[in-house]
Amino acid sequence: MISFVGGAAFLVALGWRVTAQTGKASSLGFVLAAESLAMLGTLLWGGVLADRYPRKRLMIGSDLARAVVMAVFFGLDATAI
């Protein structure tokens, strides 16, 4: 539940930040389209991996990967003018 709420809040914050940076509402569409394509790709690969590897290890790995991506976005945002 916490992961789901955090992921949704991150997507809203990312869209808000991109819209504020560019001043264009269409930027939000690009963010949502990129998120949808990424979700499609990772869901397909995640299904394949879930059949072959322990799910607990996959869940921990995916959460760690998400934390790294969010840290990178935070670093980029913190250093942006």
Side-chain angles (χ1 to χ4, degrees), residues 50-68:
D51 290 339
R52 297 175 187 214
Y53 298 105
R55 290 187 178 135
K56 183 177 180 181
R57 190 177 353 162
L58 288 174
M59 289 177 64
I60 292 171
S62 67
D63 283 342
L64 289 173
R66 185 187 319 186
V68 168

Side-chain angles (χ1 to χ4, degrees), residues 11-12 14-16 18-19 22 24-34:
L11 184 60
V12 170
L14 182 62
W16 195 343
V18 168
T19 303
T22 63
K24 297 179 183 179
S26 62
S27 299
L28 178 59
F30 289 122
V31 169
L32 294 176

Side-chain angles (χ1 to χ4, degrees), residues 28-51:
L28 178 59
F30 289 122
V31 169
L32 294 176
E35 190 268 339
S36 296
L37 290 173
M39 176 87 61
L40 178 64
T42 56
L43 284 175
L44 293 173
W45 279 107
V48 170
L49 294 175
D51 290 339

